[in-house]
Amino acid sequence: MADTASYTTIEELLTVRENESVHLECSRETVDRAVRFVHERYARRRCAFYVTTDRGFDRETVRSYLKLFARLAGNRVAPENAMAHFGLVPAARKQVKNLTPEQRALMNFARMSLFEPEVVFCERPLADVTPATRGLITAWMGEVVETGGILITAGEPLREALLMPGTAFYEEDGRLWEAKTAVSPDDPDNETTFAGDEVRIFKIPARTGITTLLFDPREVDFVESVNRQNFASVRGELYPVTMTLDELEAELERYGFFRCHRSYIVNVQKVAKVERFTRNSFNLTLADATQTQIPLAKGRAEAMRDRYGWR
C-alpha cells in the first residue's frame, strides 16, 4: 500500500500540484498563505478570487456592481447572463449592503464568472448557500474544471472539500495530508457477500458524554470518518462511534448501506439523487432537512449503479 501523500507547507503542496485542482481543510493562516501564493504563482494567468472578506460595495446595486466588473473583465460575459445563471435577477436592483449572505455569495460567484477565469480561488465556497442554490455554484465550478481551468478552494470542512472536483487535503500535525478516496487499494470494487436468508440484529453503538447510545441502522443517514475519528449522522446530529468503517461496512451492507467513498458509508434509502459534478466527479444528495451532500468516489459510481440497477 502506497504511503499517503503529505506536504510540509501549503507552498510546497501548490508547487508540486501545480495546474491541478486542490481543496483544503486548513487553518486561517494557511488560507491566507494560499491566497498570496496563488496570486504570485499564477500572476500571468486569468485569475478570479473570492474570500470571506469580499463583501462588495455597499452603495452599489447588484446590477451596477456586476456591470463595473464586466467592464474590468473586458466585457467577456454580459452581466445580465451572469445574474441569470446565479439566480440574481430578482435582486438586480437591490443594494449590496442589503443582500443576504447567500445573495452576496452568489454575487461574488457571478463576479468571478465575468472573467472566464483560468484559475479560481475560493474560500469556503459553500459556506453561505442553501441547498436550493448550491447547485448553481457547483455547476459553475464543474464547468471551470471541465474546460481546463484550475479550481482551488480552502478553509472548508473536509466533507465539502471531498465534494469538489480534484484532490482534497486536510491539515494535521503541521502537515497537509491527501484525503484518499479509494475504498480498497487492492480491489476497489470488492464486495462483501452474505446469505440472503440470514437474520441478524445489529445496533450501532455511539457515545454522547458518558452515555452509550444504540442506534437502529434505519435511523442513520451516513457514517463518516473525519481526522481519524468516525461519526454516525442521526437526524442531523453527529455521534462518535468506536467501530472502524471497515467493521461498520461489513455489518451495515445487509441494511442497505453502501461504501461510497473511503471516508463515507451511506444509507442508500436516504439518497434522493445522484449528481454528476464533472465527468469524473459525483455527489449523493440525501433526503434530509439540509439536503446533505456526500461524495461518491469515481471508482464507486459504477459499482453503485450495478448493485442497485441504476442507469
Side-chain angles (χ1 to χ4, degrees):
M1 178 177 175
D3 292 337
T4 300
S6 69
Y7 304 91
T8 56
T9 66
I10 185 61
E11 292 83 3
E12 180 191 9
L13 188 157
L14 292 174
T15 299
V16 174
R17 298 300 183 109
E18 187 174 17
N19 298 321
E20 296 182 28
S21 292
V22 299
H23 313 287
L24 314 165
E25 181 194 63
C26 60
S27 66
R28 172 78 258 169
E29 178 188 357
T30 299
V31 172
D32 293 338
R33 288 169 56 187
V35 172
R36 291 193 296 270
F37 187 82
V38 171
H39 266 293
E40 297 170 1
R41 192 75 177 183
Y42 296 103
R44 295 176 180 267
R45 302 182 68 172
R46 202 163 56 248
C47 298
F49 292 81
Y50 171 33
V51 295
T52 55
T53 54
D54 289 333
R55 301 185 58 80
F57 307 138
D58 284 352
R59 294 186 180 181
E60 298 285 348
T61 65
V62 172
R63 177 179 283 115
S64 65
Y65 179 80
L66 293 177
K67 281 186 174 180
L68 168 63
F69 280 93
R71 290 194 295 271
L72 293 174
N75 294 309
R76 291 174 174 273
V77 177
E80 292 77 12
N81 292 343
M83 285 191 292
H85 180 91
F86 289 99
L88 288 167
V89 173
R93 298 182 179 179
K94 198 171 183 179
Q95 284 189 303
V96 171
K97 66 181 179 181
N98 295 323
L99 296 178
T100 65
E102 180 176 47
Q103 289 172 327
R104 197 183 299 270
L106 291 168
M107 183 186 71
N108 275 299
F109 276 96
R111 166 181 59 77
M112 289 194 293
S113 73
L114 297 170
F115 291 82
E116 295 187 328
E118 300 169 295
V119 180
V120 174
F121 183 98
C122 295
E123 180 183 358
R124 298 208 65 189
L126 303 181
D128 292 323
V129 296
T130 63
T133 57
R134 187 167 52 201
L136 301 175
I137 291 173
T138 57
W140 180 74
M141 292 192 295
E143 289 171 8
V144 169
V145 175
E146 286 286 348
T147 55
I150 300 168
L151 175 64
I152 300 170
T153 65
E156 70 262 54
L158 185 59
R159 186 190 307 164
E160 291 180 8
L162 289 166
L163 293 172
M164 302 295 168
T167 307
F169 295 84
Y170 61 92
E171 191 171 34
E172 186 176 77
D173 298 332
R175 298 183 70 87
L176 290 151
W177 300 83
E178 181 178 350
K180 294 294 186 181
T181 59
V183 174
S184 168
D186 299 318
D187 185 3
D189 291 324
N190 182 45
E191 304 292 347
T192 302
T193 59
F194 57 90
D197 294 331
E198 183 181 351
V199 177
R200 293 182 59 190
I201 296 174
F202 176 69
K203 295 283 188 176
I204 300 175
R207 300 284 298 179
T208 175
I210 61 173
T211 305
T212 298
L213 303 176
L214 299 175
F215 289 116
D216 188 307
R218 292 171 296 183
E219 298 179 90
V220 177
D221 296 327
F222 62 89
V223 181
E224 68 176 348
S225 179
V226 178
N227 295 337
R228 302 179 186 177
Q229 188 166 4
N230 300 331
F231 299 89
S233 176
V234 180
R235 293 180 289 277
E237 296 290 333
L238 293 175
Y239 297 90
V241 295
T242 56
M243 296 179 69
T244 68
L245 287 194
D246 288 343
E247 291 169 341
L248 286 165
E249 179 186 12
E251 293 287 353
L252 291 174
E253 273 201 325
R254 71 188 69 251
Y255 298 99
F257 283 71
F258 182 78
R259 185 74 171 269
C260 60
H261 186 279
R262 182 185 179 93
S263 301
Y264 287 88
I265 304 171
V266 66
N267 184 345
V268 178
Q269 293 294 340
K270 304 294 181 79
V271 175
K273 57 184 176 180
V274 181
E275 297 179 291
R276 183 188 293 270
F277 209 160
T278 65
R279 186 181 298 110
N280 296 315
S281 178
F282 302 85
N283 298 331
L284 303 175
T285 300
L286 305 188
D288 57 7
T290 59
Q291 296 182 38
T292 302
Q293 287 189 315
I294 301 296
L296 173 60
K298 178 178 65 175
R300 301 301 290 158
E302 188 64 32
M304 193 173 200
R305 283 195 291 264
D306 289 344
R307 176 181 292 188
Y308 299 105
W310 297 344
R311 292 291 181 266

